[in-house]
């Protein structure tokens, strides 16, 4: 019996289409969990993988608590999130704002904390390092326990923080 291809499948095709890529990414993340990160390409892969998990977690979740943020994002971008495509764009923009904010904050945090510093980066302190007014304002509205916990994003952001804290910053910034 073949695991993925052939007439007899251990893993149904529908499951593979829905979960296959995420599952493979998860396995890769597990296998590389303790590996130091040095290249921007590797860091980008981890952050993108976590962002895809975050987006998958908020798909199908009713977001009434974020209506203010939605309105603020619509005003800032000068557009309206309407219909199914608008909803998809809103959720994507939400996740991108979170991950862009955390990564930007980490970069700025790194400038004030030498690689030999024992202090680790905390995504919860990101707003202290963000200087772009729109990103800072959106991040401040979004990155609160009352908004992130119901969406299941605290866990993903904790994973992201762990990945950022295992970056060999000297090697990373020499290539960035």
């Amino acid at each position: 019996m073949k695991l993925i291809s052939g007439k007899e499948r251990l893993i149904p095709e529908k499951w593979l289409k829905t979960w296959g890529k995420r599952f493979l990414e998860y396995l890769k993340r597990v296998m590389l969990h303790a590996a130091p990160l040095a290249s921007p390409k590797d860091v980008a892969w981890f952050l993108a993988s976590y962002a895809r998990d975050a987006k998958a977690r908020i798909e199908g979740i009713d977001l009434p608590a974020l209506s203010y943020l939605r309105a603020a994002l619509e005003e800032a971008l000068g557009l309206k999130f309407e219909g199914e495509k608008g909803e998809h764009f809103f959720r994507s923009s939400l996740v991108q704002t979170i991950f862009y904010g955390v990564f930007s904050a980490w970069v700025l945090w790194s400038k004030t904390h030498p690689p030999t510093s024992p202090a680790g980066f905390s995504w919860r302190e990101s707003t202290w390092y963000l200087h772009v007014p729109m990103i800072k304002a959106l991040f401040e509205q979004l990155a609160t326990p009352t908004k992130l916990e119901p969406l299941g994003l605290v866990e993903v952001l904790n994973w992201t923080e762990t990945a950022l804290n295992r970056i060999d910053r000297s090697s990373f910034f020499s290539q960035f």
Side-chain angles (χ1 to χ4, degrees), residues 126-158:
S126 292
T127 56
W128 292 97
Y129 297 98
L130 296 173
H131 302 298
V132 177
M134 185 181 96
I135 297 296
K136 183 179 179 102
L138 290 171
F139 198 86
E140 285 175 343
Q141 289 295 318
L142 180 62
T144 66
T146 56
K147 292 186 177 130
L148 293 176
E149 286 174 353
L151 300 174
L153 297 182
V154 173
E155 181 179 36
V156 179
L157 288 168
N158 288 341

Side-chain angles (χ1 to χ4, degrees), residues 105-119:
W106 174 81
V107 169
L108 295 170
W109 172 88
S110 294
K111 289 182 176 186
T112 60
H113 294 80
T116 56
S117 171

Side-chain angles (χ1 to χ4, degrees), residues 2 5-9:
K2 294 183 179 181
S5 62
K7 290 183 180 180
E8 297 179 38
R9 293 177 186 253

Side-chain angles (χ1 to χ4, degrees), residues 55-166:
K55 187 169 180 301
R57 287 181 180 214
I58 67 170
E59 287 296 326
I61 292 178
D62 188 24
L63 303 173
L66 299 178
S67 60
Y68 172 77
L69 181 63
R70 182 185 189 121
L73 196 54
E74 286 176 335
E75 184 178 326
L77 298 175
L79 53 83
K80 292 282 183 197
F81 300 113
E82 296 175 342
E84 190 175 319
K85 286 184 178 182
E87 188 64 30
H88 175 77
F89 184 68
F90 168 64
R91 290 168 190 264
S92 294
S93 298
L94 196 61
V95 170
Q96 288 173 7
T97 299
I98 293 169
F99 281 83
Y100 176 80
V102 169
F103 179 72
S104 297
W106 174 81
V107 169
L108 295 170
W109 172 88
S110 294
K111 289 182 176 186
T112 60
H113 294 80
T116 56
S117 171
F121 173 75
S122 172
W123 68 264
R124 289 170 179 84
E125 297 174 4
S126 292
T127 56
W128 292 97
Y129 297 98
L130 296 173
H131 302 298
V132 177
M134 185 181 96
I135 297 296
K136 183 179 179 102
L138 290 171
F139 198 86
E140 285 175 343
Q141 289 295 318
L142 180 62
T144 66
T146 56
K147 292 186 177 130
L148 293 176
E149 286 174 353
L151 300 174
L153 297 182
V154 173
E155 181 179 36
V156 179
L157 288 168
N158 288 341
W159 299 339
T160 303
E161 177 181 299
T162 299
L164 291 170
N165 279 322
R166 64 178 215 266

